[in-house]
Amino acid sequence: MNCKTCQSELPDLLLGASSEAAGVRAHLDGCEQCSAEWIALEKTFALLDHWQAPEPSPYFDQKLAVRLREEQAKPQAGWLERMRERLLFNTGRQFRPAMAAALALVLVLGGITEFGHTTEQVAASPAVDDLQILDKNEQAIQQMDQLLDDDGGDNSPAVQPAS
């Protein structure tokens, strides 16, 4: 048996409900760390056996009755004060439907906004822009060469485009 399973069985052994009591006791005899844990657990339970809950003071009921009367005698809080207390001291359960509706509204508006943006064209990167400019320049040079070749009046050789 390893230390982890032995330590998980110690509370059951202490209460007398362990199914592997013989194996746990054998491990406790051979392992100092687990035996120290066992001794500490026994001491803790021995302290708990002697502990007694304190008795309430004899004037507890009277003090409680006085405080209840004081609270009942207070003037009724206004609407704004009640809402403030509700917001400060609640668990948030009554706001869950409103929060779910607000989240649904945000998702719907986000979906509509995103659908409107999908039709817009995405801007190209600078590298793509440069390649498009070079392509347009090459087309312009080819057109210039064609114009010079069509002229035919001069016997000058046509300028070859650089490759």
Side-chain angles (χ1 to χ4, degrees), residues 59 76 89 106:
Y59 302 107
Q76 189 74 323
F89 302 116
V106 166

Side-chain angles (χ1 to χ4, degrees), residues 5-61:
T5 54
C6 177
Q7 288 180 1
S8 67
E9 288 288 326
L10 288 180
D12 292 337
L13 181 65
L14 189 65
L15 297 173
S18 178
S19 60
E20 302 177 14
V24 172
R25 290 204 186 275
H27 181 80
L28 286 175
D29 292 337
C31 181
E32 292 179 21
Q33 182 181 3
C34 291
S35 63
E37 182 78 23
W38 170 252
I39 292 169
L41 195 59
E42 280 183 324
K43 287 180 181 179
T44 304
F45 266 74
L47 285 174
L48 287 174
D49 288 339
H50 298 293
W51 180 78
Q52 292 181 358
E55 292 292 324
S57 77
Y59 302 107
F60 177 77
D61 292 333

Side-chain angles (χ1 to χ4, degrees), residues 52-108:
Q52 292 181 358
E55 292 292 324
S57 77
Y59 302 107
F60 177 77
D61 292 333
Q62 293 171 352
K63 289 179 181 179
L64 181 63
V66 168
R67 289 195 61 190
L68 284 174
R69 275 182 283 186
E70 287 174 358
E71 286 295 322
Q72 289 173 347
K74 280 186 180 178
Q76 189 74 323
W79 180 83
L80 189 60
E81 182 64 26
R82 285 193 313 252
M83 287 304 293
R84 184 182 149 281
E85 287 178 4
R86 182 173 286 172
L87 288 173
L88 287 176
F89 302 116
N90 71 354
T91 60
R93 289 179 170 257
Q94 67 265 25
F95 294 115
R96 286 184 183 173
M99 293 300 288
L103 182 61
L105 181 66
V106 166
L107 288 173
V108 167

